Amino acid sequence: DQQVKQNSPSLSVQEGRISILNCDYTNSMFDYFLWYKKYPAEGPTFLISISSIKDKNEDGRFTVFLNKSAKHLSLHIVPSQPGDSAVYFCAGGFQKLVFGTGTRLLVSP
Amino acid sequence: GAGVSQSPSNKVTEKGKDVELRCDPISGHTALYWYRQSLGQGLEFLIYFQGNSAPDKSGLPSDRFSAERTGGSVSTLTIQRTQQEDSAVYLCASSPTQGLGETQYFGPGTRLLVL
């Protein structure tokens, strides 16, 4: 039972354009959602979060949108930079974090 | 400052042997989490500690897996009689408390390969 799904295993974007990473969830009990970024051979690092009572949270180039009725969230990165190339995990939290399988983003110069 | 550290960084073992994985959380963090990531999978929750106690062990895949935490600091994840399906990256994370929305800080992981 995958409570958090990231259906796109990979995404390629040109530098300067927008990257949109999508995440769907099934557990309506999640209180908050987070995005983590992971480089090879490193642990995931926290990127941005959103409470379930909000529909948008912005931090610099990163914006997370939450659509509770659709049980969908997305991460927008604009403008994308080559250093953003990494695997991005979304996670839903209730009593513990449940992670998706990740989307590998490649930003080409 | 010092982040979460894990040792060893890589471990190769033979099927049937026991392994111990160590996690040193960020100093002062009361909550500690263990996850694993198998090839092509997301991060799978294993267990979390609040202080030295483990309120949630629901993610441990079998009774071959156990974990302990001493002094509210270092934690050890032990896998007995390892199987090939135990091969994965084992990640440890800590957070200041176990509050809702609390950011978890991850270590670099231990890559375990069971031959």
Side-chain angles (χ1 to χ4, degrees):
Chain A
D1 173 31
Q2 260 194 306
Q3 298 183 52
V4 179
K5 297 180 184 179
Q6 294 177 258
N7 292 317
S8 297
S10 63
L11 175 68
S12 292
V13 171
Q14 278 197 314
E15 181 178 9
R17 307 294 288 267
I18 185 171
S19 296
I20 300 176
L21 296 98
N22 294 302
C23 182
D24 296 296
Y25 63 94
T26 59
N27 190 341
S28 56
M29 299 291 287
F30 287 142
D31 295 292
Y32 56 98
F33 302 87
L34 305 93
W35 284 93
Y36 279 80
K37 179 168 75 172
K38 186 180 184 302
Y39 293 116
E42 295 182 11
T45 55
F46 171 76
L47 192 57
I48 192 170
S49 66
I50 187 168
S51 163
S52 62
I53 63 173
K54 298 194 172 184
D55 56 18
K56 177 182 174 182
N57 187 26
E58 189 173 352
D59 183 3
R61 297 186 297 112
F62 303 90
T63 303
V64 56
F65 295 93
L66 175 61
N67 182 335
K68 279 186 293 183
S69 61
K71 292 193 173 69
H72 178 83
L73 69 154
S74 60
L75 174 68
H76 293 210
I77 307 172
V78 56
S80 302
Q81 299 173 354
D84 296 330
S85 298
V87 177
Y88 289 78
F89 292 95
C90 68
F94 174 46
Q95 293 169 333
K96 60 191 178 193
L97 286 182
V98 179
F99 285 84
T101 52
T103 296
R104 183 178 303 276
L105 174 65
L106 176 62
V107 181
S108 52
Chain B
V4 178
S5 61
Q6 292 185 245
S7 60
S9 54
N10 291 281
K11 176 72 177 178
V12 181
T13 189
E14 293 180 349
K15 178 182 170 181
K17 295 283 180 69
D18 297 351
V19 294
E20 280 191 356
L21 311 179
R22 176 187 168 107
C23 172
D24 281 90
I26 292 172
S27 178
H29 281 194
T30 61
L32 184 148
Y33 310 80
W34 282 99
Y35 297 86
R36 75 173 176 183
Q37 185 180 16
S38 304
L39 193 63
Q41 303 297 313
L43 278 73
E44 175 189 8
F45 169 82
L46 298 178
I47 186 171
Y48 100 86
F49 290 89
Q50 184 62 36
N52 291 335
S53 64
D56 190 347
K57 305 178 182 180
S58 62
L60 294 178
S62 75
D63 59 8
R64 296 186 296 104
F65 287 71
S66 62
E68 65 175 13
R69 189 179 185 195
T70 55
S73 180
V74 172
S75 176
T76 303
L77 177 69
T78 302
I79 310 173
Q80 296 178 307
R81 305 181 302 282
T82 52
Q83 304 294 311
Q84 289 180 332
E85 62 262 29
D86 299 335
S87 297
V89 176
Y90 288 81
L91 290 156
C92 173
S94 70
S95 62
T97 67
Q98 206 265 325
L100 294 179
E102 192 77 57
T103 299
Q104 296 182 19
Y105 298 85
F106 282 82
T110 293
R111 189 174 301 273
L112 174 67
L113 178 60
V114 181
L115 301 176

